[in-house]
Amino acid sequence: MPLSDDQPRTRTRLPVGEQSSPPSNHRQTRPLRALLAVLAVVTLLVVAIAVANRVAPGTGSGSDGSSTDRAGSGTGAGPAPSGDQPAGTTVNGIPTGYPHTEPGAQSAATNYAVAIGSADMFRTDSRHGIVATITDPGALAGLQSRLDQGFGGDTATRYGLDAQGRAPKGLTFVSRTVPVGTKSTGYSEGDAKIEVWCTGLTGLAGERSVQPVTTNWFTLTLSLHWTGSDWKLTDYTSRQGPAPVPADQQAATADEITGAVQQFGGFRFAR
């Protein structure tokens, strides 16, 4: 029966799970949509800035909008590595015939560093052939004498080699220089001074070796002279480092090093 206006009413409270949900407010979704829109705009701006700032190292934009190669501009940055062969001929297995340019001088210095750091320098006949190939005729006598003292006699003995630079039977002598980078510290039409940052492998590979193959980091400074047809060495010095922090890496066994040396040939063209 319907209640009159003056009759008391009873109010029943349902459990929470049975209460009807209030109608959803569609306006609550608007802040979320606004936030997503802002994030999308910020992301697009970041991507656009990154693309705009992608400029290749050693290049810039000229006044006409064209890119300008700064390699060999005297800044010391050095020429960018490329697939072009820097020299057209070889003598005694050493690349010769470099361009009369600063990049050409850096290429010559890099390959001469490889030659000076090779195992052939420990044998008298091959050492004389290397030095004659890479050295300016006017500096040949003095440089030859220095290198004979530096690679023969006591030095060869210290590495376990005989007087002819030969390793003991069953062992393989390893001496390789691996250039990491170059820097021009002086250049003119007739002379150049190039620093070559290198790492090297030196020692005797084999089970009975008492001189295991080790790595070393050093920097060679090579003075070059333009002879009229090529860059040739007139002097060089060496200093230790800079050496990076050694990696936490397990050293290879004697057999693994011997196999690697025999299977992997060295480079004739360093750059």
Side-chain angles (χ1 to χ4, degrees):
M1 167 175 83
L3 296 175
S4 64
D5 292 340
D6 56 351
Q7 285 180 312
R9 288 177 170 81
T10 302
R11 180 174 296 175
T12 303
R13 182 178 295 275
L14 296 173
V16 175
E18 299 179 10
Q19 293 181 16
S20 59
S21 300
S24 60
N25 188 355
H26 293 289
R27 288 181 296 179
Q28 294 179 355
T29 63
R30 291 182 180 178
L32 179 59
R33 291 178 180 176
L35 177 61
L36 292 176
V38 171
L39 290 176
V41 171
V42 172
T43 302
L44 290 174
L45 286 174
V46 172
V47 173
I49 292 172
V51 172
N53 288 335
R54 287 191 62 187
V55 179
T59 62
S61 178
S63 58
D64 60 351
S66 61
S67 61
T68 303
D69 188 359
R70 298 174 185 259
S73 62
T75 62
S82 70
D84 297 333
Q85 184 168 287
T89 59
T90 59
V91 177
N92 290 329
I94 303 171
T96 58
Y98 296 92
H100 189 193
T101 60
E102 186 176 5
Q106 292 194 33
S107 293
T110 306
N111 285 300
Y112 294 168
V114 173
I116 292 173
S118 67
D120 290 337
M121 288 292 292
F122 289 83
R123 294 188 293 272
T124 302
D125 54 348
S126 56
R127 178 171 64 249
H128 288 178
I130 290 172
V131 176
T133 300
I134 68 176
T135 305
D136 180 89
L140 179 58
L143 201 55
Q144 183 70 76
S145 177
R146 279 182 55 196
L147 292 171
D148 282 342
Q149 294 177 6
F151 286 91
D154 294 340
T155 302
T157 302
R158 187 166 68 248
Y159 284 108
L161 308 177
D162 63 16
Q164 286 72 43
R166 294 174 300 194
K169 185 177 181 180
L171 299 178
T172 301
F173 178 61
V174 182
S175 180
R176 294 188 186 182
T177 291
V178 183
V180 178
T182 63
K183 179 177 68 173
S184 175
T185 58
Y187 179 79
S188 67
E189 290 297 314
D191 297 283
K193 181 170 286 188
I194 310 296
E195 291 188 357
V196 185
W197 181 33
C198 308
T199 184
L201 303 175
T202 312
L204 287 171
E207 286 292 343
R208 296 181 293 103
S209 174
V210 296
Q211 297 283 350
V213 178
T214 59
T215 59
N216 186 28
W217 289 86
F218 54 95
T219 300
L220 294 175
T221 301
L222 295 91
S223 298
L224 305 177
H225 178 69
W226 181 255
T227 64
S229 59
D230 204 358
W231 290 106
K232 294 296 182 181
L233 184 68
T234 58
D235 194 13
Y236 88 100
T237 58
S238 176
R239 68 177 186 272
Q240 291 297 311
V245 177
D248 185 12
Q249 190 173 10
Q250 183 177 353
T253 65
D255 286 343
E256 289 173 333
I257 291 293
T258 302
V261 170
Q262 294 174 348
Q263 296 169 22
F264 292 87
F267 295 108
R268 295 193 182 278
F269 285 97
R271 69 174 306 153

